[in-house]
Short mmCIF file of all heavy atoms in Angstrom, two decimals:
data_model
loop_
_atom_site.label_atom_id
_atom_site.label_comp_id
_atom_site.label_asym_id
_atom_site.label_seq_id
_atom_site.Cartn_x
_atom_site.Cartn_y
_atom_site.Cartn_z
N ASN H 1 0.81 -1.23 0.00
CA ASN H 1 0.00 0.00 0.00
C ASN H 1 0.83 1.27 0.00
O ASN H 1 0.29 2.37 -0.08
CB ASN H 1 -0.94 0.00 1.22
CG ASN H 1 -1.91 -1.16 1.18
OD1 ASN H 1 -2.51 -1.45 0.15
ND2 ASN H 1 -2.05 -1.86 2.30
N GLY H 2 2.14 1.13 0.12
CA GLY H 2 3.02 2.29 0.07
C GLY H 2 2.98 3.15 1.32
O GLY H 2 3.35 4.32 1.27
N ILE H 3 2.57 2.58 2.45
CA ILE H 3 2.47 3.35 3.69
C ILE H 3 3.72 3.19 4.55
O ILE H 3 4.19 4.13 5.19
CB ILE H 3 1.21 2.93 4.49
CG1 ILE H 3 -0.04 3.21 3.66
CG2 ILE H 3 1.15 3.64 5.84
CD1 ILE H 3 -1.30 2.60 4.23
N TYR H 4 4.28 1.97 4.57
CA TYR H 4 5.41 1.67 5.44
C TYR H 4 6.64 1.23 4.64
O TYR H 4 6.53 0.58 3.60
CB TYR H 4 5.06 0.57 6.43
CG TYR H 4 3.97 0.95 7.40
CD1 TYR H 4 2.69 0.42 7.28
CD2 TYR H 4 4.21 1.86 8.43
CE1 TYR H 4 1.68 0.77 8.16
CE2 TYR H 4 3.20 2.22 9.31
CZ TYR H 4 1.94 1.67 9.18
OH TYR H 4 0.95 2.03 10.04
N LEU H 5 7.80 1.61 5.17
CA LEU H 5 9.09 1.14 4.67
C LEU H 5 9.70 0.26 5.75
O LEU H 5 9.67 0.60 6.94
CB LEU H 5 10.01 2.33 4.39
CG LEU H 5 11.46 2.00 4.04
CD1 LEU H 5 11.56 1.43 2.63
CD2 LEU H 5 12.35 3.24 4.17
N MET H 6 10.25 -0.88 5.37
CA MET H 6 10.94 -1.75 6.31
C MET H 6 12.41 -1.81 5.92
O MET H 6 12.75 -1.91 4.74
CB MET H 6 10.33 -3.15 6.30
CG MET H 6 10.98 -4.10 7.26
SD MET H 6 10.01 -5.62 7.55
CE MET H 6 9.61 -6.13 5.88
N SER H 7 13.29 -1.71 6.92
CA SER H 7 14.72 -1.78 6.67
C SER H 7 15.35 -2.82 7.57
O SER H 7 14.92 -3.05 8.70
CB SER H 7 15.37 -0.41 6.91
OG SER H 7 15.17 0.03 8.25
N GLY H 8 16.40 -3.46 7.07
CA GLY H 8 17.19 -4.41 7.84
C GLY H 8 18.63 -3.96 7.86
O GLY H 8 19.10 -3.27 6.95
N SER H 9 19.36 -4.35 8.91
CA SER H 9 20.72 -3.84 9.09
C SER H 9 21.62 -4.89 9.74
O SER H 9 21.15 -5.83 10.39
CB SER H 9 20.67 -2.58 9.96
OG SER H 9 21.96 -2.19 10.40
N HIS H 10 22.93 -4.68 9.59
CA HIS H 10 23.89 -5.51 10.30
C HIS H 10 23.92 -5.19 11.80
O HIS H 10 24.67 -5.85 12.53
CB HIS H 10 25.29 -5.34 9.69
CG HIS H 10 25.46 -6.03 8.38
ND1 HIS H 10 24.84 -7.23 8.07
CD2 HIS H 10 26.17 -5.69 7.26
CE1 HIS H 10 25.18 -7.59 6.84
NE2 HIS H 10 25.97 -6.68 6.33
N ASP H 11 23.11 -4.21 12.25
CA ASP H 11 23.00 -3.98 13.70
C ASP H 11 21.99 -4.96 14.34
O ASP H 11 21.64 -4.80 15.50
CB ASP H 11 22.63 -2.53 14.01
CG ASP H 11 21.23 -2.14 13.54
OD1 ASP H 11 20.45 -3.02 13.11
OD2 ASP H 11 20.89 -0.94 13.61
N CYS H 12 21.53 -5.94 13.58
CA CYS H 12 20.63 -7.02 14.01
C CYS H 12 19.17 -6.60 14.11
O CYS H 12 18.34 -7.38 14.59
CB CYS H 12 21.05 -7.61 15.38
SG CYS H 12 22.73 -8.25 15.40
N SER H 13 18.82 -5.40 13.69
CA SER H 13 17.44 -4.94 13.86
C SER H 13 16.71 -4.77 12.53
O SER H 13 17.31 -4.47 11.49
CB SER H 13 17.40 -3.61 14.62
OG SER H 13 17.84 -2.54 13.80
N ILE H 14 15.39 -4.99 12.61
CA ILE H 14 14.46 -4.61 11.55
C ILE H 14 13.74 -3.36 12.05
O ILE H 14 13.29 -3.33 13.20
CB ILE H 14 13.42 -5.72 11.28
CG1 ILE H 14 14.10 -6.98 10.77
CG2 ILE H 14 12.38 -5.26 10.28
CD1 ILE H 14 13.16 -8.18 10.74
N ARG H 15 13.63 -2.36 11.22
CA ARG H 15 12.91 -1.15 11.61
C ARG H 15 11.79 -0.88 10.60
O ARG H 15 11.98 -1.02 9.40
CB ARG H 15 13.85 0.05 11.73
CG ARG H 15 14.83 -0.12 12.88
CD ARG H 15 15.66 1.10 13.16
NE ARG H 15 16.51 0.88 14.33
CZ ARG H 15 17.32 1.79 14.85
NH1 ARG H 15 17.42 2.99 14.31
NH2 ARG H 15 18.06 1.51 15.91
N LEU H 16 10.65 -0.51 11.14
CA LEU H 16 9.47 -0.17 10.33
C LEU H 16 9.30 1.34 10.39
O LEU H 16 9.27 1.93 11.48
CB LEU H 16 8.24 -0.88 10.88
CG LEU H 16 7.02 -0.97 9.97
CD1 LEU H 16 7.34 -1.82 8.74
CD2 LEU H 16 5.84 -1.56 10.73
N TRP H 17 9.21 1.97 9.22
CA TRP H 17 9.15 3.43 9.11
C TRP H 17 7.83 3.86 8.49
O TRP H 17 7.35 3.25 7.54
CB TRP H 17 10.29 3.95 8.24
CG TRP H 17 11.65 3.51 8.66
CD1 TRP H 17 12.27 2.33 8.35
CD2 TRP H 17 12.56 4.23 9.50
NE1 TRP H 17 13.51 2.27 8.94
CE2 TRP H 17 13.71 3.41 9.65
CE3 TRP H 17 12.51 5.48 10.13
CZ2 TRP H 17 14.81 3.82 10.41
CZ3 TRP H 17 13.60 5.87 10.89
CH2 TRP H 17 14.74 5.05 11.03
N ASN H 18 7.26 4.93 9.02
CA ASN H 18 6.12 5.59 8.38
C ASN H 18 6.68 6.44 7.24
O ASN H 18 7.50 7.34 7.47
CB ASN H 18 5.37 6.46 9.40
CG ASN H 18 4.19 7.17 8.78
OD1 ASN H 18 4.34 7.96 7.85
ND2 ASN H 18 3.01 6.89 9.29
N LEU H 19 6.27 6.13 6.01
CA LEU H 19 6.85 6.82 4.86
C LEU H 19 6.47 8.29 4.78
O LEU H 19 7.20 9.10 4.21
CB LEU H 19 6.45 6.10 3.57
CG LEU H 19 7.34 4.92 3.19
CD1 LEU H 19 6.74 4.15 2.03
CD2 LEU H 19 8.74 5.40 2.83
N ASP H 20 5.33 8.64 5.34
CA ASP H 20 4.89 10.03 5.29
C ASP H 20 5.73 10.90 6.23
O ASP H 20 6.25 11.94 5.83
CB ASP H 20 3.41 10.11 5.67
CG ASP H 20 2.82 11.48 5.39
OD1 ASP H 20 3.26 12.12 4.41
OD2 ASP H 20 1.96 11.93 6.16
N SER H 21 5.88 10.44 7.47
CA SER H 21 6.60 11.24 8.47
C SER H 21 8.09 10.90 8.55
O SER H 21 8.85 11.62 9.20
CB SER H 21 5.97 11.04 9.85
OG SER H 21 6.08 9.68 10.24
N LYS H 22 8.50 9.78 7.91
CA LYS H 22 9.90 9.29 7.95
C LYS H 22 10.34 8.99 9.38
O LYS H 22 11.51 9.15 9.74
CB LYS H 22 10.86 10.32 7.31
CG LYS H 22 10.45 10.83 5.95
CD LYS H 22 10.57 9.79 4.88
CE LYS H 22 10.49 10.39 3.48
NZ LYS H 22 9.22 11.00 3.16
N THR H 23 9.39 8.53 10.21
CA THR H 23 9.72 8.20 11.59
C THR H 23 9.62 6.69 11.81
O THR H 23 8.82 6.01 11.17
CB THR H 23 8.77 8.90 12.58
OG1 THR H 23 7.42 8.57 12.24
CG2 THR H 23 8.96 10.41 12.52
N CYS H 24 10.45 6.18 12.72
CA CYS H 24 10.45 4.76 13.05
C CYS H 24 9.29 4.46 13.98
O CYS H 24 9.15 5.07 15.03
CB CYS H 24 11.77 4.38 13.71
SG CYS H 24 11.91 2.64 14.10
N VAL H 25 8.43 3.51 13.59
CA VAL H 25 7.26 3.18 14.39
C VAL H 25 7.40 1.83 15.09
O VAL H 25 6.64 1.52 15.99
CB VAL H 25 5.97 3.19 13.53
CG1 VAL H 25 5.68 4.60 13.04
CG2 VAL H 25 6.07 2.23 12.36
N GLN H 26 8.39 1.03 14.69
CA GLN H 26 8.60 -0.26 15.35
C GLN H 26 10.01 -0.75 15.07
O GLN H 26 10.58 -0.52 14.00
CB GLN H 26 7.60 -1.31 14.86
CG GLN H 26 7.63 -2.61 15.66
CD GLN H 26 6.49 -3.55 15.26
OE1 GLN H 26 5.71 -3.26 14.37
NE2 GLN H 26 6.41 -4.69 15.91
N GLU H 27 10.60 -1.41 16.07
CA GLU H 27 11.92 -2.01 15.92
C GLU H 27 11.89 -3.43 16.47
O GLU H 27 11.34 -3.67 17.55
CB GLU H 27 12.99 -1.19 16.65
CG GLU H 27 14.38 -1.76 16.49
CD GLU H 27 15.46 -0.91 17.13
OE1 GLU H 27 15.13 0.16 17.67
OE2 GLU H 27 16.63 -1.32 17.09
N ILE H 28 12.47 -4.37 15.72
CA ILE H 28 12.53 -5.78 16.13
C ILE H 28 13.98 -6.23 16.06
O ILE H 28 14.64 -6.05 15.03
CB ILE H 28 11.68 -6.67 15.21
CG1 ILE H 28 10.23 -6.20 15.16
CG2 ILE H 28 11.75 -8.13 15.67
CD1 ILE H 28 9.41 -6.87 14.05
N THR H 29 14.51 -6.79 17.14
CA THR H 29 15.82 -7.44 17.08
C THR H 29 15.59 -8.85 16.57
O THR H 29 14.94 -9.66 17.21
CB THR H 29 16.48 -7.47 18.47
OG1 THR H 29 16.62 -6.13 18.93
CG2 THR H 29 17.85 -8.12 18.40
N ALA H 30 16.11 -9.11 15.38
CA ALA H 30 15.66 -10.29 14.65
C ALA H 30 16.69 -11.40 14.51
O ALA H 30 16.33 -12.57 14.50
CB ALA H 30 15.19 -9.86 13.25
N HIS H 31 17.97 -11.06 14.36
CA HIS H 31 18.97 -12.09 14.06
C HIS H 31 20.25 -11.86 14.84
O HIS H 31 20.56 -10.74 15.22
CB HIS H 31 19.29 -12.09 12.55
CG HIS H 31 18.15 -12.54 11.70
ND1 HIS H 31 17.92 -13.85 11.37
CD2 HIS H 31 17.15 -11.85 11.12
CE1 HIS H 31 16.85 -13.95 10.61
NE2 HIS H 31 16.35 -12.74 10.44
N ARG H 32 20.98 -12.92 15.05
CA ARG H 32 22.30 -12.82 15.68
C ARG H 32 23.34 -12.44 14.63
O ARG H 32 23.17 -12.71 13.45
CB ARG H 32 22.70 -14.15 16.32
CG ARG H 32 21.76 -14.62 17.42
CD ARG H 32 22.30 -15.88 18.09
NE ARG H 32 22.63 -16.92 17.14
CZ ARG H 32 21.75 -17.79 16.66
NH1 ARG H 32 20.48 -17.72 17.02
NH2 ARG H 32 22.13 -18.72 15.80
N LYS H 33 24.44 -11.86 15.10
CA LYS H 33 25.53 -11.54 14.20
C LYS H 33 26.38 -12.77 13.92
O LYS H 33 26.55 -13.62 14.77
CB LYS H 33 26.42 -10.44 14.80
CG LYS H 33 25.95 -9.04 14.53
CD LYS H 33 27.09 -8.05 14.58
CE LYS H 33 26.60 -6.67 14.13
NZ LYS H 33 27.70 -5.73 13.90
N LYS H 34 26.90 -12.81 12.70
CA LYS H 34 27.88 -13.83 12.34
C LYS H 34 28.91 -13.16 11.43
O LYS H 34 28.55 -12.63 10.37
CB LYS H 34 27.21 -15.01 11.62
CG LYS H 34 28.20 -16.14 11.30
CD LYS H 34 27.49 -17.33 10.69
CE LYS H 34 28.49 -18.44 10.39
NZ LYS H 34 27.83 -19.60 9.75
N LEU H 35 30.15 -13.15 11.86
CA LEU H 35 31.23 -12.48 11.10
C LEU H 35 30.87 -11.03 10.77
O LEU H 35 31.04 -10.57 9.65
CB LEU H 35 31.55 -13.26 9.82
CG LEU H 35 31.96 -14.73 10.01
CD1 LEU H 35 32.14 -15.41 8.67
CD2 LEU H 35 33.23 -14.83 10.83
N ASP H 36 30.34 -10.33 11.79
CA ASP H 36 29.98 -8.90 11.67
C ASP H 36 28.83 -8.63 10.70
O ASP H 36 28.62 -7.49 10.29
CB ASP H 36 31.20 -8.04 11.27
CG ASP H 36 32.18 -7.89 12.42
OD1 ASP H 36 31.73 -7.92 13.59
OD2 ASP H 36 33.39 -7.75 12.16
N GLU H 37 28.11 -9.66 10.31
CA GLU H 37 26.95 -9.47 9.45
C GLU H 37 25.71 -10.00 10.15
O GLU H 37 25.80 -10.87 11.02
CB GLU H 37 27.15 -10.17 8.10
CG GLU H 37 28.31 -9.58 7.31
CD GLU H 37 28.41 -10.16 5.92
OE1 GLU H 37 27.86 -11.27 5.68
OE2 GLU H 37 29.05 -9.54 5.06
N SER H 38 24.55 -9.46 9.78
CA SER H 38 23.33 -9.91 10.46
C SER H 38 22.18 -10.12 9.48
O SER H 38 21.96 -11.22 9.01
CB SER H 38 22.93 -8.92 11.55
OG SER H 38 21.76 -9.36 12.21
N ILE H 39 21.45 -9.06 9.14
CA ILE H 39 20.25 -9.22 8.31
C ILE H 39 20.60 -8.96 6.84
O ILE H 39 21.17 -7.93 6.49
CB ILE H 39 19.13 -8.28 8.78
CG1 ILE H 39 18.72 -8.66 10.21
CG2 ILE H 39 17.93 -8.35 7.84
CD1 ILE H 39 17.78 -7.69 10.87
N TYR H 40 20.22 -9.92 5.99
CA TYR H 40 20.52 -9.83 4.57
C TYR H 40 19.33 -9.33 3.74
O TYR H 40 19.52 -8.68 2.72
CB TYR H 40 20.94 -11.20 4.02
CG TYR H 40 22.31 -11.65 4.44
CD1 TYR H 40 22.58 -13.00 4.63
CD2 TYR H 40 23.34 -10.75 4.63
CE1 TYR H 40 23.84 -13.45 5.01
CE2 TYR H 40 24.60 -11.17 5.00
CZ TYR H 40 24.85 -12.52 5.19
OH TYR H 40 26.10 -12.95 5.55
#
């Protein structure tokens, strides 16, 4: 629907962003690190 953006990072978190306000509305710690990498 083009309302939310989801991002993943090597900081082990998934973040959900409101695309209109560009603010983070939810954060989930999702994966463990392996060799300094996490979410692909």
